[in-house]
Amino acid sequence: MAFAFPVWLAVQEELLGNGDSDSGSVSCFDEFDDEALFRMFHLNRPCIAFILDATRIRMKTAALKKSTLSLDEMVMVTLNYYAHGASSTSILQRVGQTQSDCLAIISIISGVIAGMSDQFISFPLAHDAKCKVAFKTEKLCGIPNVLGVLAAAHFRIRASPYEDTFRSFVNSWGYTSVVSQIICDSDGNVLSVEKCCLGRTFEQELWESSFKGREMEEEIHGPYWVIGGKGYNLSKHVLTPLSEPANDSETRFNEAHTKIHDVMQTTLCCMKKRFRCLMQLGFAQESSLNKKSNIIKACSVLHNIAKKFSVPPLSVAGKIEPLHQGKARSEPEINPEALKARQELIKAKFLNVSSSRIPQSERITENV
Ligand SMILES: *[C@@H]1O[C@H](CO)[C@@H](O)[C@H](O)[C@H]1NC(C)=O
Ligand SMILES: *[C@@H]1O[C@H](CO)[C@@H](O)[C@H](O)[C@H]1NC(C)=O
Ligand SMILES: *[C@@H]1O[C@H](CO)[C@@H](O)[C@H](O)[C@H]1NC(C)=O
């Protein structure tokens, strides 16, 4: 992210206003001990207090007046749903609401937290910030001028096979999903999340129609790459692996590419473990994609905040959907200019074993 932690906190503090009479007051979260808190919400106390404050200043008073619950109760219901993909019985009893009442609450709070993405999900814009992100990435994998890792993240949904739109939710792997475009940095912070499309949408299509895709391809972000899987077209700004590496240099490049690309897989795994709701977003219709989009964005915001507060990752057993990559594009379609740029990069950085070998101590940096 653009800011170092202390700076980032200071910014938030200023934003929240120091004299806010509400912050630090008693909340329904105080009823949980630390262990129960983590079990119910997969977050720790300082992190939840921060989320509560940030939500409080964003929440329109009008929406609160309509609700029978207080803001902290609404946030509690929502965070509990995110963590488990359903509301816990004890939470339902505590707030005296049914599972379906809660859906309305979750929808309101998800909208508010998703709206915080302008603060907590920041693509590096300033020159310094870009250099910093690129430097860290190069240190990890040896590839220079990379701003992030790009992927089309699929989230399972339920769809009725009797609906006309059913087929459009079925993705290339045969299950129903919605798909969002996510970019993360080499530390697994989410730098951008946009779109929420029908599962059958291809990643290249997402990229070309996304704001970030257009900005990058129009050179607004300068001569930088994002790392893309083999489902993307190689372009001057999307760096894909070689489908058939012909020699050691190319093999070394592909290994470096895999190493940085794996960060996305780790990041999505981490998000889906902390926020189990992302494993199954419930029923969807084409007309209700906004709500799904808000939940995906909100969880991305909370993921970044949880990282800032160093909340431990969840060690949940069970399978997490691997990050599927689309089918490889056939090489002849590739833009010759982009091909040349990739070849030059390989020549400059992966020609000699010594120049691409990263010291062992720096290799194990990703904490799962
Ligand atoms: C590796 O193969 C590519 C493609 O055939 C070629 O352009 C490049 O010069 C080769 N590099 C080395 C070190 O042989
Ligand atoms: C990118 O991929 C699409 C879909 O496969 C293809 O039609 C198009 O020609 C490709 N674009 C470039 C610039 O190679
Ligand atoms: C690679 O090694 C050769 C021979 O040892 C050397 O001449 C060349 O400058 C090196 N290239 C890079 C990019 O380090």
Side-chain angles (χ1 to χ4, degrees), residues 242 244-250 252 343 346-347 350-351:
L242 290 117
E244 288 171 0
N247 48 45
D248 286 352
S249 312
E250 295 187 349
R252 278 194 294 272
Q343 275 169 346
I346 295 173
K347 214 169 122 194
F350 295 92
L351 187 58

Side-chain angles (χ1 to χ4, degrees), residues 158-202:
R158 290 185 213 282
S160 162
Y162 302 109
E163 292 222 7
D164 296 342
T165 53
F166 176 75
R167 295 219 59 79
S168 52
F169 283 107
V170 179
N171 61 28
S172 310
W173 302 277
Y175 63 87
T176 49
S177 69
V178 292
V179 56
S180 288
Q181 176 174 291
I182 295 187
I183 303 176
C184 72
D185 68 11
S186 60
D187 288 329
N189 297 296
V190 176
L191 301 180
S192 160
V193 49
E194 63 174 301
K195 303 195 86 78
C196 182
C197 296
L198 303 163
R200 74 159 176 211
T201 315
F202 290 109

